[in-house]
Amino acid sequence: MEALNKEEIYTIDDIYALPDGERAELIDGKIYYMAPPSTKHQRLLNYINTEINLYIRNHNGECEVFPAPFAVFLNENDTNYVEPDISVICDSSKLTDKGCNGAPDWIIEIVSPGSRQMDYFTKLFKYRTAGVKEYWIVDPEKDSVMVYRFEEETMEQYAFGDDVPVGIYEGFSINVQ
């Protein structure tokens, strides 16, 4: 009888031991390598990040916005480490020099061809169970924005060009183009 190979469980130490320039995320002890983002991805990231920053600054907001690469340690263990495209954190006690300990209030992921499964399924479940309040999936291929508000248990879909209301900020919306 052949012994079954036990799947190796990786930790945050393994992420930090990656060669310079190599980016990966860690979900339940499994490493997911990340491809470099496209120009369109980076344009969307820059635009959305700027809109959020301007809103927070113009309204003396308490929250801070962090674009990738930015470390988010979702749970109280060392087997989950993600780098969302955009993280908005309103509880400054979660912030350290290394990143965010615990769930950000709002996470935005911009879908890349290689991240579709992760963004729509794996991360959706992880973010919801970790306590993220709002999760946006911006999909340039579908020209759509999926908005999950976990506390209200709602999911809405918007097209690029629509004003997408921000759940954590009353009266703030972003027109993703």
Side-chain angles (χ1 to χ4, degrees):
M1 198 166 164
E2 200 174 305
L4 291 174
N5 280 347
K6 193 167 190 259
E7 195 174 320
E8 188 161 354
I9 301 293
Y10 293 95
T11 68
I12 290 165
D13 290 339
D14 296 306
I15 293 290
Y16 281 109
L18 290 173
D20 277 355
E22 182 114 40
R23 287 183 55 215
E25 293 179 307
L26 184 68
I27 295 182
D28 296 330
K30 188 170 175 11
I31 290 182
Y32 296 89
Y33 292 93
M34 299 161 69
S38 69
T39 301
K40 186 174 188 178
H41 180 283
Q42 290 304 91
R43 281 187 181 126
L44 281 165
L45 174 76
N46 190 40
Y47 173 76
I48 296 167
N49 186 66
T50 300
E51 291 295 298
I52 298 168
N53 260 319
L54 287 172
Y55 182 86
I56 291 170
R57 187 171 29 182
N58 292 335
H59 293 83
N60 298 314
E62 297 292 312
C63 305
E64 286 186 81
V65 59
F66 296 91
F70 180 72
V72 173
F73 308 95
L74 276 178
N75 308 93
E76 297 296 317
N77 62 38
D78 65 351
T79 59
N80 287 286
Y81 166 96
V82 291
E83 289 185 7
D85 287 313
I86 297 175
S87 302
V88 179
I89 295 122
C90 301
D91 177 357
S92 62
S93 72
K94 291 182 179 181
L95 295 170
T96 69
D97 281 346
K98 287 193 171 204
C100 177
N101 288 318
D105 294 84
W106 178 19
I107 287 179
I108 299 170
E109 292 286 6
I110 300 166
V111 178
S112 301
S115 74
R116 185 166 297 282
Q117 186 80 15
M118 286 286 288
D119 294 338
Y120 277 101
F121 300 101
T122 310
K123 287 183 175 179
L124 172 68
F125 174 77
K126 264 293 170 216
Y127 293 160
R128 185 176 68 211
T129 56
V132 172
K133 292 179 182 149
E134 186 165 354
Y135 176 42
W136 288 20
I137 301 173
V138 177
D139 194 330
E141 198 174 288
K142 294 181 177 179
D143 287 342
S144 73
V145 181
M146 299 293 292
V147 176
Y148 296 88
R149 292 192 182 90
F150 296 129
E151 290 179 320
E152 288 87 34
E153 295 182 9
T154 63
M155 185 269 292
E156 295 170 303
Q157 184 169 353
Y158 298 87
F160 278 21
D162 291 345
D163 287 335
V164 183
V166 176
I168 68 164
Y169 284 118
E170 184 102 13
F172 174 39
S173 62
I174 298 175
N175 191 315
V176 179
Q177 311 239 359

